Amino acid sequence: MNAFFFNTAAEAGKWIIQTVPKGVSVGWGDSLTLEATGVKEHFRNGPYTVYDRDAAGNDTVRKEEILRGALTCDWYLVGSNALTENGELLNIDGRGNRCASISFGPHNVIFTVGVNKIVKDLNAAIERVHKVACVANVKRHNLRTPCSLTGECSDCTVPDCACSQILITRFSRHPGRCSVLIIGEELGF
Ligand code: SF4
């Protein structure tokens, strides 16, 4: 995997725009950090095939099609719930589409990660996700989970559970497939 450091989300966004070639297909996962780079509008308005879940609105069938399309796009853009000092990326997903696209399918994956996501090790990463990231995200998406009410993880299996899949990404057997952009700002949850 390649790693880069940028002082700001805007600088990371500039790198993404310069790196992703025109004419390719681009998909993305839900990420406030990616949002902060400002690249989504660039791809929506440019010569790209875009898998943009926001375009589906309340149309659940269309949304499912978009998520499935993103599984095989050329470039997949995503955040990360945590990044360990040892270089492992940890992502937890309710539906699993993000974890799936990170693992296999898209030819290239770009992670955008604010410095607030850096933790000591995998135990700290999982703790961070349950105590910080998930609680904030379920509230953002109005999901009905125990943590959205209490602010505490109770290891739930309710229908809206945001922690169905847990993915640790520690290596890529496809050289250069993954680029990790570490950004010197506090971004996302
Ligand atoms: S309560 Fe459920 S959704 Fe909330 S952090 Fe724990 S496992 Fe995830």
Side-chain angles (χ1 to χ4, degrees):
M1 297 194 281
N2 301 317
F4 303 89
F5 178 82
F6 299 92
N7 286 316
T8 66
E11 286 173 24
K14 202 179 285 181
W15 184 90
I16 293 171
I17 288 168
Q18 285 169 354
T19 302
V20 176
K22 290 189 168 52
V24 300
S25 59
V26 183
W28 48 70
D30 180 41
S31 165
L32 288 178
T33 307
L34 179 67
E35 199 80 48
T37 66
V39 299
K40 284 161 80 168
E41 274 313 295
H42 168 81
F43 291 115
R44 284 174 180 136
N45 298 317
Y48 309 92
T49 301
V50 173
Y51 296 100
D52 179 10
R53 55 193 281 164
D54 298 340
N58 294 325
D59 185 338
T60 51
V61 174
R62 179 75 192 118
K63 187 172 177 183
E64 191 73 20
E65 285 171 0
I66 290 169
L67 295 180
R68 286 178 185 279
L71 291 173
T72 55
C73 65
D74 295 317
W75 290 79
Y76 189 70
L77 316 178
V78 68
S80 185
N81 292 131
L83 169 63
T84 70
E85 289 180 5
N86 202 32
E88 297 122 330
L89 296 141
L90 185 119
N91 282 284
I92 291 187
D93 239 354
R95 191 191 296 258
N97 59 292
R98 226 168 38 111
C99 288
S101 291
I102 291 169
S103 305
F104 185 81
H107 295 301
N108 304 276
V109 180
I110 298 177
F111 295 89
T112 53
V113 190
V115 284
N116 51 315
K117 305 288 184 70
I118 298 174
V119 294
K120 183 88 191 143
D121 54 25
L122 285 172
N123 284 338
I126 291 179
E127 189 178 324
R128 181 188 191 285
V129 171
H130 286 310
K131 285 194 171 163
V132 181
C134 191
V135 174
N137 276 318
V138 295
K139 285 186 177 159
R140 186 161 70 93
H141 291 296
N142 294 318
L143 299 179
R144 293 161 63 90
T145 65
C147 59
S148 69
L149 298 173
T150 65
E152 305 256 326
C153 175
S154 58
D155 204 20
C156 79
T157 51
V158 298
D160 273 359
C161 179
C163 304
S164 314
Q165 315 286 335
I166 301 178
L167 175 69
I168 297 165
T169 306
R170 55 180 289 280
F171 181 70
S172 173
R173 284 180 60 174
H174 304 278
R177 174 176 181 262
C178 295
S179 296
V180 182
L181 314 191
I182 300 169
I183 302 168
E185 293 181 309
E186 301 227 341
L187 298 163
F189 304 121

